Amino acid sequence: MEFGDQKILPAVHSMKDFDKMLKYSFEYGVFLDLHVGMVKSVFDYANSKNKKMFLHMDLIQGLANDEFAAEYICQTVKPYGIISTRKNVVKRARELNVKAIQRTFVIDSNAYRRSVELIKQSDPDYIELLPGVVPKMIERIRKETGKPIIAGGLIDHPEEVDAALKAGASAITTSSKELWTYFGK
């Protein structure tokens, strides 16, 4: 597994959430919904706690979601990795040697085809597949792209985490504190 024995990646919406994450032994996580003015200090704090955090670029308030913003964040903040739905953001992060996750939504066969093409163009380190409750799509996209899958969205129960992992997901992103408690150490 790419994240050691960590099955879930806690998705953090606030500093209060991050403090809750710190109660567990999770090494990896995801920051969501940050204000541009807080990004640097939040990552400095995470680094001081030895946490490898991804930053969801699409959800930074006050910063455009383009390759120039990705360059700024990668060079200034130096996150462990970024997540984006935009291929140019993913490609720029990869060029700057920052782990990149291409987030994609597979809601029907047309979205599936578009997602596979997007993944081929952006060449991410990982794919975050939403919704993550469809094990057959996890297996199918992993086989077709050859990329590690992180499943996210609508996963509420430990059995759903296990099903996604069994289908080939490397980890699960979740903001569910119940799952943090269940899978945390």
Side-chain angles (χ1 to χ4, degrees):
M1 183 182 282
E2 286 80 3
F3 302 102
D5 63 350
Q6 190 173 322
K7 294 181 177 184
I8 66 167
L9 304 177
V12 175
H13 286 278
S14 66
M15 287 311 295
K16 187 176 177 182
D17 284 353
F18 185 65
D19 287 335
K20 287 179 185 173
M21 179 187 152
L22 292 176
K23 294 178 182 176
Y24 304 100
S25 62
F26 297 121
E27 180 179 4
Y28 301 91
V30 177
F31 279 122
L32 308 169
D33 304 322
L34 288 178
H35 184 279
V36 67
M38 292 188 63
V39 174
K40 178 77 170 122
S41 61
V42 166
F43 269 87
D44 287 346
Y45 182 58
N47 290 335
S48 77
K49 299 295 185 182
N50 297 313
K51 300 303 176 189
K52 295 176 181 170
M53 300 297 290
F54 288 89
L55 175 61
H56 198 308
M57 292 289 298
D58 300 2
L59 301 177
I60 299 174
Q61 301 160 18
L63 190 65
N65 185 22
D66 59 24
E67 61 272 21
F68 303 108
E71 183 173 330
Y72 170 78
I73 291 294
C74 291
Q75 292 177 343
T76 305
V77 176
K78 299 178 175 88
Y80 176 77
I82 62 98
I83 299 173
S84 182
T85 58
R86 300 182 184 267
K87 73 177 177 186
N88 291 342
V89 171
V90 170
K91 288 174 77 169
R92 188 65 185 131
R94 293 268 321 221
E95 291 166 359
L96 295 168
N97 296 314
V98 172
K99 297 282 185 198
I101 299 174
Q102 178 74 58
R103 186 179 228 202
T104 186
F105 300 87
V106 179
I107 56 172
D108 59 25
S109 58
N110 190 37
Y112 170 79
R113 286 188 298 277
R114 285 193 321 262
S115 293
V116 168
E117 185 57 36
L118 177 68
I119 293 160
K120 289 178 181 178
Q121 292 173 14
S122 66
D123 190 31
D125 294 293
Y126 303 96
I127 300 161
E128 183 183 30
L129 180 62
L130 287 95
V133 291
V134 187
K136 80 175 190 176
M137 294 311 298
I138 294 168
E139 186 176 344
R140 189 170 167 189
I141 286 185
R142 184 171 172 109
K143 282 182 182 176
E144 188 160 346
T145 66
K147 298 287 183 181
I149 304 292
I150 299 168
L154 304 177
I155 297 175
D156 300 318
H157 304 285
E159 301 80 27
E160 294 167 330
V161 171
D162 292 337
L165 294 170
K166 185 177 178 185
S170 298
I172 311 307
T173 53
T174 182
S175 58
S176 166
K177 308 306 180 295
E178 292 82 11
L179 290 177
W180 295 11
T181 300
Y182 187 86
F183 289 101
K185 296 176 189 160

